[in-house]
Amino acid sequence: MPLWKPSSPGGDSEGTLQMLIANLDYSEYLGRLGIGRVFNGTLRFGDTVAIAKRDGTFHKTKITKPLFVRGPQARR
């Protein structure tokens, strides 16, 4: 019998996308990679998203190859 059951994550899958990028990388095949956690909203292939820069400006880009990880396994 488990001693503690973790609560399900909060967030609103129908809300405005909010993602915290924890790591940036670059691939010659894929281009720029942003690795992070989605707190609200949903990411889909082809979505146009805005990246908030430190100086307060926004840079628009498209999602080209999403890879989602939930637990120990990844899925596309």
Side-chain angles (χ1 to χ4, degrees):
M1 182 167 164
L3 299 175
W4 174 72
K5 181 181 177 189
S7 60
S8 58
D12 179 12
S13 63
E14 300 299 320
T16 302
L17 177 64
Q18 291 180 320
M19 181 175 180
L20 176 63
I21 300 295
N23 195 4
L24 292 173
D25 202 356
Y26 183 81
S27 162
E28 290 185 20
Y29 176 70
L30 297 173
R32 190 178 345 184
L33 304 172
I35 301 165
R37 179 179 175 202
V38 175
F39 287 92
N40 287 313
T42 305
L43 265 172
R44 292 186 188 91
F45 173 78
D47 281 353
T48 300
V49 296
I51 299 170
K53 302 280 190 156
R54 285 186 178 185
D55 64 3
T57 62
F58 292 91
H59 173 75
K60 288 189 179 182
T61 189
K62 276 194 173 187
I63 303 299
T64 56
K65 185 127 180 145
L67 176 67
F68 302 96
V69 177
R70 179 174 283 174
Q73 298 175 341
R75 62 186 168 91
R76 292 173 194 231

